mmCIF file of all heavy atoms in Angstrom:
data_model
loop_
_atom_site.group_PDB
_atom_site.id
_atom_site.type_symbol
_atom_site.label_atom_id
_atom_site.label_comp_id
_atom_site.label_asym_id
_atom_site.label_seq_id
_atom_site.Cartn_x
_atom_site.Cartn_y
_atom_site.Cartn_z
ATOM 1 N N PRO M 49 -1.740 -75.140 -54.228
ATOM 2 C CA PRO M 49 -0.835 -76.231 -53.926
ATOM 3 C C PRO M 49 -0.765 -76.531 -52.474
ATOM 4 O O PRO M 49 -1.132 -75.648 -51.681
ATOM 5 C CB PRO M 49 0.472 -75.883 -54.489
ATOM 6 C CG PRO M 49 0.536 -74.405 -54.539
ATOM 7 C CD PRO M 49 -0.963 -73.965 -54.799
ATOM 8 N N LEU M 50 -0.242 -77.629 -52.051
ATOM 9 C CA LEU M 50 0.029 -77.946 -50.646
ATOM 10 C C LEU M 50 0.886 -76.860 -50.006
ATOM 11 O O LEU M 50 1.885 -76.459 -50.617
ATOM 12 C CB LEU M 50 0.592 -79.320 -50.466
ATOM 13 C CG LEU M 50 -0.321 -80.485 -50.799
ATOM 14 C CD1 LEU M 50 0.462 -81.732 -50.748
ATOM 15 C CD2 LEU M 50 -1.463 -80.579 -49.846
ATOM 16 N N PRO M 51 0.705 -76.436 -48.785
ATOM 17 C CA PRO M 51 1.578 -75.516 -48.117
ATOM 18 C C PRO M 51 2.834 -76.165 -47.713
ATOM 19 O O PRO M 51 2.978 -77.336 -47.516
ATOM 20 C CB PRO M 51 0.707 -75.105 -46.903
ATOM 21 C CG PRO M 51 -0.176 -76.271 -46.625
ATOM 22 C CD PRO M 51 -0.536 -76.836 -47.993
ATOM 23 N N VAL M 52 3.898 -75.300 -47.634
ATOM 24 C CA VAL M 52 5.224 -75.820 -47.132
ATOM 25 C C VAL M 52 5.093 -76.088 -45.637
ATOM 26 O O VAL M 52 4.685 -75.174 -44.907
ATOM 27 C CB VAL M 52 6.257 -74.784 -47.489
ATOM 28 C CG1 VAL M 52 7.626 -75.215 -46.970
ATOM 29 C CG2 VAL M 52 6.280 -74.472 -49.011
ATOM 30 N N PRO M 53 5.476 -77.250 -45.204
ATOM 31 C CA PRO M 53 5.356 -77.520 -43.763
ATOM 32 C C PRO M 53 6.374 -76.745 -42.979
ATOM 33 O O PRO M 53 7.458 -76.489 -43.406
ATOM 34 C CB PRO M 53 5.667 -79.046 -43.693
ATOM 35 C CG PRO M 53 6.376 -79.447 -44.937
ATOM 36 C CD PRO M 53 5.985 -78.365 -45.951
ATOM 37 N N ILE M 54 6.015 -76.355 -41.811
ATOM 38 C CA ILE M 54 6.940 -75.666 -40.839
ATOM 39 C C ILE M 54 7.579 -76.792 -39.930
ATOM 40 O O ILE M 54 6.871 -77.412 -39.150
ATOM 41 C CB ILE M 54 6.133 -74.674 -39.957
ATOM 42 C CG1 ILE M 54 5.493 -73.641 -40.876
ATOM 43 C CG2 ILE M 54 6.999 -74.018 -38.996
ATOM 44 C CD1 ILE M 54 4.548 -72.675 -40.180
ATOM 45 N N THR M 55 8.885 -76.892 -40.054
ATOM 46 C CA THR M 55 9.598 -77.876 -39.361
ATOM 47 C C THR M 55 10.502 -77.278 -38.229
ATOM 48 O O THR M 55 10.914 -78.005 -37.315
ATOM 49 C CB THR M 55 10.464 -78.783 -40.239
ATOM 50 O OG1 THR M 55 11.359 -77.897 -41.026
ATOM 51 C CG2 THR M 55 9.494 -79.514 -41.235
ATOM 52 N N ASP M 56 10.799 -76.066 -38.323
ATOM 53 C CA ASP M 56 11.618 -75.413 -37.353
ATOM 54 C C ASP M 56 10.843 -75.001 -36.144
ATOM 55 O O ASP M 56 9.944 -74.178 -36.233
ATOM 56 C CB ASP M 56 12.215 -74.090 -37.970
ATOM 57 C CG ASP M 56 13.211 -73.400 -36.988
ATOM 58 O OD1 ASP M 56 13.588 -74.009 -35.971
ATOM 59 O OD2 ASP M 56 13.389 -72.207 -37.307
ATOM 60 N N PRO M 57 11.196 -75.585 -34.934
ATOM 61 C CA PRO M 57 10.371 -75.208 -33.753
ATOM 62 C C PRO M 57 10.439 -73.706 -33.386
ATOM 63 O O PRO M 57 9.454 -73.092 -32.930
ATOM 64 C CB PRO M 57 10.955 -76.020 -32.584
ATOM 65 C CG PRO M 57 11.609 -77.111 -33.332
ATOM 66 C CD PRO M 57 12.070 -76.613 -34.617
ATOM 67 N N GLN M 58 11.542 -72.946 -33.686
ATOM 68 C CA GLN M 58 11.584 -71.623 -33.390
ATOM 69 C C GLN M 58 10.618 -70.788 -34.316
ATOM 70 O O GLN M 58 10.071 -69.858 -33.885
ATOM 71 C CB GLN M 58 13.038 -71.074 -33.611
ATOM 72 C CG GLN M 58 13.992 -71.668 -32.641
ATOM 73 C CD GLN M 58 13.704 -71.276 -31.218
ATOM 74 O OE1 GLN M 58 13.287 -70.174 -30.973
ATOM 75 N NE2 GLN M 58 13.704 -72.233 -30.291
ATOM 76 N N GLN M 59 10.435 -71.227 -35.473
ATOM 77 C CA GLN M 59 9.509 -70.521 -36.428
ATOM 78 C C GLN M 59 8.066 -70.742 -35.929
ATOM 79 O O GLN M 59 7.229 -69.798 -36.065
ATOM 80 C CB GLN M 59 9.656 -71.100 -37.794
ATOM 81 C CG GLN M 59 8.824 -70.265 -38.836
ATOM 82 C CD GLN M 59 9.019 -70.921 -40.222
ATOM 83 O OE1 GLN M 59 9.590 -71.912 -40.475
ATOM 84 N NE2 GLN M 59 8.432 -70.187 -41.208
ATOM 85 N N ILE M 60 7.710 -71.810 -35.354
ATOM 86 C CA ILE M 60 6.418 -72.051 -34.849
ATOM 87 C C ILE M 60 5.995 -71.068 -33.691
ATOM 88 O O ILE M 60 4.858 -70.645 -33.641
ATOM 89 C CB ILE M 60 6.158 -73.595 -34.396
ATOM 90 C CG1 ILE M 60 6.255 -74.450 -35.706
ATOM 91 C CG2 ILE M 60 4.960 -73.774 -33.649
ATOM 92 C CD1 ILE M 60 6.298 -75.953 -35.418
ATOM 93 N N THR M 61 7.018 -70.847 -32.809
ATOM 94 C CA THR M 61 6.747 -69.915 -31.720
ATOM 95 C C THR M 61 6.633 -68.430 -32.126
ATOM 96 O O THR M 61 6.119 -67.641 -31.333
ATOM 97 C CB THR M 61 7.833 -70.020 -30.681
ATOM 98 O OG1 THR M 61 9.087 -69.761 -31.191
ATOM 99 C CG2 THR M 61 7.928 -71.452 -30.089
ATOM 100 N N ARG M 62 7.088 -68.149 -33.398
ATOM 101 C CA ARG M 62 6.990 -66.784 -33.783
ATOM 102 C C ARG M 62 5.911 -66.546 -34.852
ATOM 103 O O ARG M 62 6.037 -65.615 -35.716
ATOM 104 C CB ARG M 62 8.381 -66.338 -34.429
ATOM 105 C CG ARG M 62 9.492 -66.375 -33.456
ATOM 106 C CD ARG M 62 10.712 -65.778 -34.105
ATOM 107 N NE ARG M 62 11.061 -66.401 -35.387
ATOM 108 C CZ ARG M 62 11.934 -67.417 -35.608
ATOM 109 N NH1 ARG M 62 12.513 -68.026 -34.672
ATOM 110 N NH2 ARG M 62 12.118 -67.863 -36.842
ATOM 111 N N LEU M 63 4.959 -67.403 -35.009
ATOM 112 C CA LEU M 63 3.876 -67.174 -35.916
ATOM 113 C C LEU M 63 3.144 -65.881 -35.643
ATOM 114 O O LEU M 63 2.734 -65.667 -34.550
ATOM 115 C CB LEU M 63 2.956 -68.468 -35.926
ATOM 116 C CG LEU M 63 3.561 -69.722 -36.449
ATOM 117 C CD1 LEU M 63 2.464 -70.799 -36.359
ATOM 118 C CD2 LEU M 63 4.035 -69.616 -37.893
ATOM 119 N N ASP M 64 2.799 -65.240 -36.736
ATOM 120 C CA ASP M 64 1.955 -63.980 -36.646
ATOM 121 C C ASP M 64 0.800 -64.225 -37.624
ATOM 122 O O ASP M 64 0.963 -64.223 -38.847
ATOM 123 C CB ASP M 64 2.830 -62.786 -37.076
ATOM 124 C CG ASP M 64 2.090 -61.487 -36.846
ATOM 125 O OD1 ASP M 64 0.993 -61.476 -36.183
ATOM 126 O OD2 ASP M 64 2.507 -60.426 -37.411
ATOM 127 N N ILE M 65 -0.310 -64.485 -37.041
ATOM 128 C CA ILE M 65 -1.527 -64.859 -37.794
ATOM 129 C C ILE M 65 -2.403 -63.602 -37.869
ATOM 130 O O ILE M 65 -2.648 -62.957 -36.884
ATOM 131 C CB ILE M 65 -2.289 -66.038 -37.159
ATOM 132 C CG1 ILE M 65 -1.355 -67.195 -36.956
ATOM 133 C CG2 ILE M 65 -3.525 -66.395 -38.002
ATOM 134 C CD1 ILE M 65 -0.813 -67.772 -38.132
ATOM 135 N N ARG M 66 -2.895 -63.370 -39.114
ATOM 136 C CA ARG M 66 -3.863 -62.219 -39.353
ATOM 137 C C ARG M 66 -5.239 -62.837 -39.630
ATOM 138 O O ARG M 66 -5.316 -63.770 -40.415
ATOM 139 C CB ARG M 66 -3.372 -61.248 -40.421
ATOM 140 C CG ARG M 66 -2.076 -60.781 -40.092
ATOM 141 C CD ARG M 66 -2.080 -59.717 -38.919
ATOM 142 N NE ARG M 66 -0.772 -59.354 -38.420
ATOM 143 C CZ ARG M 66 -0.112 -58.321 -38.767
ATOM 144 N NH1 ARG M 66 -0.587 -57.452 -39.732
ATOM 145 N NH2 ARG M 66 1.118 -58.139 -38.388
ATOM 146 N N ARG M 67 -6.234 -62.155 -39.106
ATOM 147 C CA ARG M 67 -7.733 -62.654 -39.467
ATOM 148 C C ARG M 67 -8.420 -61.578 -40.229
ATOM 149 O O ARG M 67 -8.262 -60.385 -39.922
ATOM 150 C CB ARG M 67 -8.460 -62.885 -38.173
ATOM 151 C CG ARG M 67 -9.833 -63.374 -38.476
ATOM 152 C CD ARG M 67 -10.510 -63.722 -37.193
ATOM 153 N NE ARG M 67 -11.321 -62.591 -36.784
ATOM 154 C CZ ARG M 67 -12.216 -62.526 -35.884
ATOM 155 N NH1 ARG M 67 -12.471 -63.542 -35.138
ATOM 156 N NH2 ARG M 67 -12.863 -61.408 -35.577
ATOM 157 N N ARG M 68 -9.094 -61.944 -41.242
ATOM 158 C CA ARG M 68 -9.892 -61.043 -42.076
ATOM 159 C C ARG M 68 -11.348 -61.636 -42.121
ATOM 160 O O ARG M 68 -11.587 -62.813 -42.356
ATOM 161 C CB ARG M 68 -9.329 -60.998 -43.534
ATOM 162 C CG ARG M 68 -10.167 -60.169 -44.480
ATOM 163 C CD ARG M 68 -9.478 -60.204 -45.787
ATOM 164 N NE ARG M 68 -10.494 -59.735 -46.748
ATOM 165 C CZ ARG M 68 -10.615 -60.132 -48.044
ATOM 166 N NH1 ARG M 68 -9.763 -60.991 -48.489
ATOM 167 N NH2 ARG M 68 -11.538 -59.706 -48.779
ATOM 168 N N GLU M 69 -12.305 -60.760 -41.809
ATOM 169 C CA GLU M 69 -13.631 -61.190 -41.852
ATOM 170 C C GLU M 69 -14.201 -61.152 -43.184
ATOM 171 O O GLU M 69 -13.881 -60.216 -43.999
ATOM 172 C CB GLU M 69 -14.519 -60.301 -40.935
ATOM 173 C CG GLU M 69 -14.168 -60.563 -39.386
ATOM 174 C CD GLU M 69 -15.153 -59.805 -38.560
ATOM 175 O OE1 GLU M 69 -15.966 -58.966 -39.030
ATOM 176 O OE2 GLU M 69 -15.076 -60.062 -37.374
ATOM 177 N N ARG M 70 -14.971 -62.090 -43.638
ATOM 178 C CA ARG M 70 -15.552 -62.086 -44.926
ATOM 179 C C ARG M 70 -17.038 -62.190 -44.798
ATOM 180 O O ARG M 70 -17.562 -62.785 -43.798
ATOM 181 C CB ARG M 70 -15.128 -63.407 -45.695
ATOM 182 C CG ARG M 70 -13.728 -63.594 -45.911
ATOM 183 C CD ARG M 70 -13.182 -62.671 -47.028
ATOM 184 N NE ARG M 70 -13.631 -62.956 -48.299
ATOM 185 C CZ ARG M 70 -13.068 -63.591 -49.266
ATOM 186 N NH1 ARG M 70 -11.920 -64.146 -49.030
ATOM 187 N NH2 ARG M 70 -13.636 -63.782 -50.477
ATOM 188 N N LEU M 71 -17.871 -61.621 -45.706
ATOM 189 C CA LEU M 71 -19.249 -61.645 -45.638
ATOM 190 C C LEU M 71 -19.832 -61.078 -44.298
ATOM 191 O O LEU M 71 -20.665 -61.797 -43.673
ATOM 192 C CB LEU M 71 -19.811 -62.991 -46.044
ATOM 193 C CG LEU M 71 -21.269 -63.041 -46.552
ATOM 194 C CD1 LEU M 71 -21.359 -62.101 -47.742
ATOM 195 C CD2 LEU M 71 -21.681 -64.408 -46.953
ATOM 196 N N GLY M 72 -19.410 -59.951 -43.829
ATOM 197 C CA GLY M 72 -19.877 -59.449 -42.661
ATOM 198 C C GLY M 72 -19.578 -60.206 -41.420
ATOM 199 O O GLY M 72 -20.264 -60.107 -40.439
ATOM 200 N N GLY M 73 -18.471 -61.007 -41.411
ATOM 201 C CA GLY M 73 -18.112 -61.719 -40.247
ATOM 202 C C GLY M 73 -18.716 -63.195 -40.129
ATOM 203 O O GLY M 73 -18.334 -63.852 -39.111
ATOM 204 N N ILE M 74 -19.370 -63.612 -41.149
ATOM 205 C CA ILE M 74 -19.859 -64.980 -41.176
ATOM 206 C C ILE M 74 -18.718 -65.971 -41.360
ATOM 207 O O ILE M 74 -18.627 -67.027 -40.737
ATOM 208 C CB ILE M 74 -20.983 -65.146 -42.269
ATOM 209 C CG1 ILE M 74 -22.092 -64.315 -41.929
ATOM 210 C CG2 ILE M 74 -21.304 -66.652 -42.454
ATOM 211 C CD1 ILE M 74 -23.228 -64.310 -42.946
ATOM 212 N N PHE M 75 -17.706 -65.606 -42.276
ATOM 213 C CA PHE M 75 -16.630 -66.316 -42.504
ATOM 214 C C PHE M 75 -15.332 -65.700 -42.046
ATOM 215 O O PHE M 75 -15.321 -64.415 -42.042
ATOM 216 C CB PHE M 75 -16.397 -66.652 -44.017
ATOM 217 C CG PHE M 75 -17.612 -67.274 -44.619
ATOM 218 C CD1 PHE M 75 -18.292 -66.560 -45.575
ATOM 219 C CD2 PHE M 75 -18.016 -68.559 -44.245
ATOM 220 C CE1 PHE M 75 -19.403 -67.166 -46.188
ATOM 221 C CE2 PHE M 75 -19.149 -69.058 -44.921
ATOM 222 C CZ PHE M 75 -19.794 -68.398 -45.890
ATOM 223 N N HIS M 76 -14.331 -66.405 -41.613
ATOM 224 C CA HIS M 76 -13.072 -65.779 -41.122
ATOM 225 C C HIS M 76 -11.899 -66.362 -41.978
ATOM 226 O O HIS M 76 -11.962 -67.624 -42.108
ATOM 227 C CB HIS M 76 -12.826 -66.022 -39.690
ATOM 228 C CG HIS M 76 -13.920 -65.383 -38.858
ATOM 229 N ND1 HIS M 76 -14.123 -64.133 -38.564
ATOM 230 C CD2 HIS M 76 -14.985 -66.067 -38.175
ATOM 231 C CE1 HIS M 76 -15.118 -63.859 -37.876
ATOM 232 N NE2 HIS M 76 -15.698 -64.989 -37.545
ATOM 233 N N GLU M 77 -11.081 -65.531 -42.472
ATOM 234 C CA GLU M 77 -9.910 -65.985 -43.282
ATOM 235 C C GLU M 77 -8.673 -65.717 -42.409
ATOM 236 O O GLU M 77 -8.505 -64.641 -41.941
ATOM 237 C CB GLU M 77 -10.020 -65.185 -44.517
ATOM 238 C CG GLU M 77 -8.777 -65.329 -45.485
ATOM 239 C CD GLU M 77 -8.993 -64.377 -46.689
ATOM 240 O OE1 GLU M 77 -10.090 -64.271 -47.168
ATOM 241 O OE2 GLU M 77 -7.983 -63.814 -47.032
ATOM 242 N N TYR M 78 -7.907 -66.681 -42.305
ATOM 243 C CA TYR M 78 -6.602 -66.551 -41.495
ATOM 244 C C TYR M 78 -5.407 -66.818 -42.405
ATOM 245 O O TYR M 78 -5.462 -67.628 -43.299
ATOM 246 C CB TYR M 78 -6.544 -67.640 -40.439
ATOM 247 C CG TYR M 78 -7.674 -67.477 -39.428
ATOM 248 C CD1 TYR M 78 -8.833 -68.147 -39.605
ATOM 249 C CD2 TYR M 78 -7.500 -66.661 -38.327
ATOM 250 C CE1 TYR M 78 -9.929 -68.055 -38.739
ATOM 251 C CE2 TYR M 78 -8.564 -66.504 -37.363
ATOM 252 C CZ TYR M 78 -9.752 -67.172 -37.588
ATOM 253 O OH TYR M 78 -10.780 -67.082 -36.696
ATOM 254 N N GLN M 79 -4.397 -66.000 -42.189
ATOM 255 C CA GLN M 79 -3.161 -66.142 -43.008
ATOM 256 C C GLN M 79 -1.946 -65.660 -42.163
ATOM 257 O O GLN M 79 -2.053 -64.874 -41.230
ATOM 258 C CB GLN M 79 -3.250 -65.476 -44.360
ATOM 259 C CG GLN M 79 -3.307 -63.965 -44.263
ATOM 260 C CD GLN M 79 -3.492 -63.315 -45.666
ATOM 261 O OE1 GLN M 79 -4.177 -63.888 -46.497
ATOM 262 N NE2 GLN M 79 -2.882 -62.189 -45.819
ATOM 263 N N HIS M 80 -0.777 -66.160 -42.540
ATOM 264 C CA HIS M 80 0.468 -65.772 -41.908
ATOM 265 C C HIS M 80 0.796 -64.349 -42.285
ATOM 266 O O HIS M 80 0.689 -64.024 -43.610
ATOM 267 C CB HIS M 80 1.631 -66.678 -42.241
ATOM 268 C CG HIS M 80 1.455 -68.048 -41.690
ATOM 269 N ND1 HIS M 80 1.665 -68.372 -40.453
ATOM 270 C CD2 HIS M 80 1.062 -69.208 -42.346
ATOM 271 C CE1 HIS M 80 1.480 -69.677 -40.203
ATOM 272 N NE2 HIS M 80 1.080 -70.171 -41.361
ATOM 273 N N ALA M 81 1.141 -63.478 -41.412
ATOM 274 C CA ALA M 81 1.571 -62.158 -41.776
ATOM 275 C C ALA M 81 2.998 -62.271 -42.368
ATOM 276 O O ALA M 81 3.767 -62.989 -41.780
ATOM 277 C CB ALA M 81 1.559 -61.182 -40.553
ATOM 278 N N VAL M 82 3.282 -61.607 -43.333
ATOM 279 C CA VAL M 82 4.583 -61.575 -43.967
ATOM 280 C C VAL M 82 5.432 -60.432 -43.444
ATOM 281 O O VAL M 82 5.060 -59.355 -43.147
ATOM 282 C CB VAL M 82 4.491 -61.530 -45.528
ATOM 283 C CG1 VAL M 82 5.868 -61.644 -46.093
ATOM 284 C CG2 VAL M 82 3.623 -62.652 -45.955
#
């Protein structure tokens, strides 16, 4: 489904993004750390 939009400016400044390599680094997957 569509992601929930981030509307709080304070939440945007505290984003913690994690990257995972797929297929030996050809693709990169990003997600918010919980």
Side-chain angles (χ1 to χ4, degrees):
L50 290 173
V52 177
I54 298 173
T55 57
D56 178 20
Q58 293 300 317
Q59 186 180 5
I60 292 173
T61 61
R62 295 186 313 265
L63 291 179
D64 186 12
I65 306 296
R66 302 292 165 95
R67 184 178 93 170
R68 177 179 161 213
E69 291 187 352
R70 304 282 300 258
L71 200 56
I74 294 175
F75 305 115
H76 302 285
E77 173 183 319
Y78 298 90
Q79 64 186 37
H80 295 282
V82 181

